[in-house]
Amino acid sequence: MAKICMTHGWHDDNKGDSAILMGTIDFLDQLIDAEQGRSDVSGAGVAKAEGHRIDILPIDDQVFATERGPFRHIRRRYRERVTVGQPLMPPMRDKLRFVTSLLGLGAKMMFGKQGRSGNDIIDAADLVVVKGGHIFHNGSFKKTLSSWLALIGYLAPVMLARKAGKRVLLLGHSFGPFKTPAQERFFLRTLSDCLVVSREEITHAMTQKADPKLPHALLGTDMAFAMAPRASDEHAAVKAPNGVASPYAVITLRDWWGLDQQAFAERVEVLSRSLLESRERLGIERLLVVPHVLGPTDIENDQRISQLVFDHLQKALATAGGEDLATRIELVQGDPSPDALVDLYRDAQFLVGTRFHSVIFALMSGTPVYALSYCGPKAPGIMRDFGLGDSVQDIENFDPARIVADIEQLVADKAFPALAEKVIAEKLAITADITRDFLRRAPGRAGVWGQRELKLNDAAFPAPVATATTAAPVNSAPADAAAADTMAADAPAGDNSATAAHDSEPVVRGA
């Protein structure tokens, strides 16, 4: 059984980050099991491992700061296979501890092991994987010194893993913006012997312009696409009130630094009214406002902006003679798992997503989707991959009329679900081939893969003959729905997930 250290773990309140972890675990399980099962490597009769050991290192101890336990959905899914270590770096707001930790990192780099749990986990791992997403950026910092400190803090696990001679994978990332060109160069040079898989073209172009160009930098996809969704009935009452199916669309909202909430609510009001007035053409009866992310920080809590916009919609529609429209808008509440959200979005007629991973969950389900972009290249880049480059607008100045017109076309395009499935399968196959090739070819120490120790190099793993487009999709294996409802074993010290409240039933608030 391989020991995999996954760094930069974030709280399960963020359903997208949770899905990225799940997708990466499912992806690596299948990839490693496939390698282990090869007769030319493992020999006949070697049984596949029942998944691989995962040690998660949180990005900082901020993830423990909410009343709901971090990694609770991860633990339900993977049970005793997952442990959570102490973070390598404290949050930057704790300046003294942060600087002290940076000095400790310098000592580690110069003199070797210092005995901290995060360092030990990296040292003991067969493979270090940096959780994907939009982690590496510091362009919003006002002071250059603070931006340098943040960048080094983000890179600390990567630098420690390289010092320990580990193979390091960065799967499904978006980078930038950086405060200065020098910081961008430093960042890219730090990744020079890692596998860097970008999830969209804009980030990939940055890696190709690096000086020197990164030798293992290729274009793949967001790792949430690799999550094998499990059956869920968490939203049964939402999808079919009183047991009667009622077609719906979904809109996900988020706050953002500097966002004019009142102006945003007014634009969403115009959009919602237009969508519901076009409901016969769009095939819907209701519009669900879904808080996709619940924290862990205030700016990350979609419940607040969703409640604010919902209240505004109820008042505005009712006072303008739109009482019937007001009753058709509902606010969905609760703590759904990523599996439950995928299930909810799959049955929607379409989704307007501000939250980036609500867009990805819809694409996974073949649901027509329109994106409101709020940070960096991730939404425009991913949508472009699916031929939806025109179905993106900025969160702060979107045109509701244009969205409604585009959605009518998207809903009418009956070929879209099959196209989305094809694009995802191809991108996952390419990502699998990239990762497999890197693990076969990269120099480094031997790792324990399955029941024998194997050297991951050309001699042990000959290059594959099949092309990227012929590889099987990584997320095609059936999932055990019962396992998703099983709580994990007792949590280690510092992780309160085992004592956290179970997922609450979703609650729908209508007018």
Side-chain angles (χ1 to χ4, degrees):
M1 179 180 287
K3 294 181 66 176
I4 301 171
C5 173
M6 296 188 66
T7 70
H8 298 79
W10 193 238
H11 203 289
D12 270 355
D13 276 0
N14 189 309
K15 311 304 178 181
D17 281 281
S18 182
I20 289 173
L21 279 173
M22 291 178 180
T24 305
I25 293 171
D26 292 348
F27 174 84
L28 291 172
D29 278 348
Q30 294 194 37
L31 189 71
I32 295 170
D33 283 349
E35 289 299 289
Q36 180 185 314
R38 292 174 63 202
S39 60
D40 60 325
V41 174
S42 301
V46 178
K48 290 186 177 182
E50 294 299 323
H52 303 279
R53 188 74 186 179
I54 309 293
D55 292 304
I56 298 175
L57 292 184
I59 195 168
D60 63 41
D61 52 15
Q62 185 170 257
V63 302
F64 296 105
T66 67
E67 60 186 30
R68 285 183 293 268
F71 311 115
R72 58 195 179 279
H73 297 303
I74 300 291
R75 289 185 176 283
R76 288 188 179 94
R77 233 181 191 255
Y78 303 105
R79 295 175 287 179
E80 69 278 357
R81 292 178 50 202
V82 172
T83 60
V84 180
Q86 293 298 318
L88 289 172
M89 301 295 296
M92 273 197 68
R93 67 178 184 276
D94 191 340
K95 294 181 175 59
L96 179 60
R97 287 179 56 218
F98 188 85
V99 172
T100 301
S101 296
L102 279 183
L103 293 174
L105 170 64
K108 163 74 176 178
M109 296 296 294
M110 292 180 63
F111 305 114
K113 189 172 182 178
Q114 299 297 307
R116 292 197 56 192
S117 61
N119 294 351
D120 291 343
I121 289 172
I122 289 175
D123 286 339
D126 296 312
L127 185 67
V128 175
V129 181
V130 180
K131 181 196 74 65
H134 196 197
I135 299 166
F136 298 109
H137 60 92
N138 65 354
S140 61
F141 283 84
K142 294 182 179 179
K143 296 181 179 180
T144 302
L145 176 60
S146 297
S147 66
W148 270 111
L149 293 175
L151 180 60
I152 295 171
Y154 294 152
L155 285 170
V158 177
M159 292 189 285
L160 290 172
R162 289 184 57 191
K163 174 72 173 179
K166 305 296 178 179
R167 288 170 298 278
V168 181
L169 311 182
L170 289 87
L171 299 176
H173 282 259
S174 294
F175 302 146
F178 296 98
K179 181 73 172 177
T180 68
Q183 291 175 353
E184 180 179 315
R185 289 193 297 270
F186 171 77
F187 168 72
L188 293 172
R189 285 176 181 269
T190 303
L191 306 182
S192 60
D193 57 359
C194 305
L195 172 63
V196 181
V197 179
S198 303
R199 62 182 177 178
E200 32 70 25
E201 180 62 46
I202 298 172
T203 291
H204 179 56
M206 181 191 301
T207 67
Q208 298 308 292
K209 293 178 181 177
D211 181 24
K213 186 169 75 173
L214 301 186
H216 305 291
L218 294 146
L219 179 62
T221 192
D222 189 285
M223 294 311 296
F225 283 121
M227 184 181 81
R230 302 186 178 189
S232 172
D233 61 358
E234 290 183 50
H235 290 109
V238 176
K239 295 192 289 185
N242 302 316
V244 180
S246 178
Y248 59 88
V250 170
I251 183 168
T252 65
L253 309 171
R254 72 150 298 161
D255 200 358
W256 189 244
W257 286 272
L259 179 68
D260 185 332
Q261 294 184 345
Q262 183 61 33
F264 181 60
E266 291 171 358
R267 283 195 298 273
V268 174
E269 174 198 340
V270 176
L271 173 62
S272 301
R273 184 191 299 272
S274 300
L275 291 172
L276 289 173
E277 288 175 347
S278 305
R279 61 186 179 275
E280 291 186 7
R281 293 195 304 275
L282 297 174
I284 63 172
E285 295 179 8
R286 301 175 294 148
L287 182 62
L288 306 183
V289 179
V290 179
H292 184 87
V293 170
L294 309 181
T297 63
D298 287 343
I299 195 69
E300 292 293 310
N301 190 343
D302 297 348
Q303 293 171 312
R304 300 186 182 194
I305 189 69
S306 297
Q307 185 72 61
L308 183 151
V309 172
F310 175 78
D311 291 343
H312 174 86
L313 292 173
Q314 296 299 295
K315 182 178 179 180
L317 291 174
T319 57
E323 290 86 354
D324 176 62
L325 298 184
T327 64
R328 296 178 183 275
I329 297 177
E330 302 164 11
L331 178 63
V332 178
Q333 297 175 328
D335 177 28
S337 65
D339 293 300
L341 288 175
V342 171
D343 176 74
L344 181 66
Y345 302 161
R346 178 188 298 115
D347 288 343
Q349 299 304 303
F350 60 87
L351 180 143
V352 178
T354 309
R355 273 296 176 185
F356 176 62
H357 276 87
S358 70
V359 173
I360 284 186
F361 288 4
L363 291 170
M364 289 169 61
S365 306
T367 299
V369 61
Y370 199 100
L372 299 179
S373 177
Y374 57 87
C375 180
K378 52 188 179 181
I382 290 286
M383 292 292 279
R384 192 180 303 153
D385 288 344
F386 287 83
L388 299 174
D390 293 332
S391 298
V392 184
Q393 292 191 59
D394 186 81
I395 185 176
E396 297 194 61
N397 55 14
F398 64 87
D399 177 4
R402 177 183 153 194
I403 293 177
V404 175
D406 285 353
I407 285 177
E408 288 195 27
Q409 295 183 28
L410 291 172
V411 170
D413 184 3
K414 302 305 181 184
F416 176 73
L419 171 64
E421 182 179 4
K422 178 175 182 290
V423 171
I424 292 170
E426 288 178 350
K427 285 191 167 292
L428 286 175
I430 290 169
T431 304
D433 278 352
I434 291 167
T435 307
R436 184 185 300 111
D437 185 67
F438 181 78
L439 293 177
R440 289 171 176 172
R441 295 174 181 275
R445 301 187 313 185
V448 179
W449 298 69
Q451 298 187 12
R452 57 182 293 192
E453 197 164 273
L454 302 171
K455 184 72 173 178
L456 298 181
N457 56 25
D458 286 327
F461 292 97
V465 175
T467 63
T469 55
T470 60
V474 178
N475 62 345
S476 58
D480 181 4
D485 296 327
T486 306
M487 276 300 293
D490 291 340
D495 183 359
N496 62 342
S497 1
T499 57
H502 290 198
D503 289 358
S504 59
E505 290 296 321
V507 178
V508 180
R509 247 190 81 193

